[in-house]
Amino acid sequence: MRTDIFSSALVFLFVVLVTNTGLAQKSSIPIDLRCEYKIDPKGLDIKQPRLSWQLAVEEKDRAIMQSAYQIRVAGSLENLKKGINLIWDSGRLESDRCVHIPFKGQYLKSRGQYFWQVRIWDNQSGQGIWSEVA
């Protein structure tokens, strides 16, 4: 019984912390990341592929809109997650665009494998968290 009370207290504390820090706002998380209309394509013959995403917006949050974005691309999953040795970091760009954003980094190597993610800023809560990796 004591364990149940402790577990319940931890869950409550987590919910309070997440809610108060804004991490619970799905509306600031880009989803459905695509490269040239495809999810995790295995091969492309394009030097500057176009990247796209959507925002996870719940019915009650329809007034939330993207106001800026940042994309980063790396040649390894580890480098991307650490934010080091990036092939491209767009920096924060003021824009509500989320469709067909052209890759503007170093030329991609043939048979190379690349990983990317995006975060957005919205008109309600500010900076969101990084998306899942694509």
Side-chain angles (χ1 to χ4, degrees):
M1 173 130 175
R2 190 171 204 184
T3 304
D4 291 340
I5 294 171
F6 181 70
S7 296
S8 297
L10 280 178
V11 169
F12 175 76
L13 181 60
F14 176 76
V15 169
V16 168
L17 286 173
V18 168
T19 302
N20 287 339
T21 59
L23 294 177
Q25 295 182 13
K26 289 183 180 179
S27 56
S28 295
I29 302 173
I31 60 168
D32 196 23
L33 277 64
R34 294 179 182 259
C35 180
E36 290 298 322
Y37 301 100
K38 298 176 183 171
I39 297 172
D40 298 332
K42 299 299 178 211
L44 297 171
D45 62 350
I46 298 170
K47 291 182 180 179
Q48 286 186 301
R50 296 166 298 172
L51 308 173
S52 302
W53 60 89
Q54 296 178 4
L55 295 183
V57 178
E58 296 178 14
E59 186 72 26
K60 64 181 178 66
D61 296 328
R62 289 167 80 189
I64 293 178
M65 298 172 53
Q66 174 182 308
S67 59
Y69 67 86
Q70 179 179 5
I71 299 171
R72 61 185 186 181
V73 180
S76 77
L77 183 58
E78 184 177 326
N79 284 349
L80 183 64
K81 288 186 175 184
K82 290 181 180 178
I84 59 172
N85 300 321
L86 299 175
I87 294 166
W88 181 44
D89 183 343
S90 70
R92 179 183 168 146
L93 297 171
E94 301 291 326
S95 174
D96 61 354
R97 276 187 68 196
C98 60
V99 177
H100 297 145
I101 308 298
F103 172 81
K104 293 187 179 178
Q106 306 166 13
Y107 282 113
L108 302 175
K109 296 179 184 172
S110 179
R111 300 184 190 269
Q113 187 173 20
Y114 299 95
F115 303 86
W116 71 283
Q117 62 186 165
V118 61
R119 69 176 167 188
I120 65 105
W121 284 258
D122 66 37
N123 62 338
Q124 304 277 323
S125 61
Q127 178 179 306
I129 62 173
W130 287 106
S131 68
E132 294 292 322
V133 175

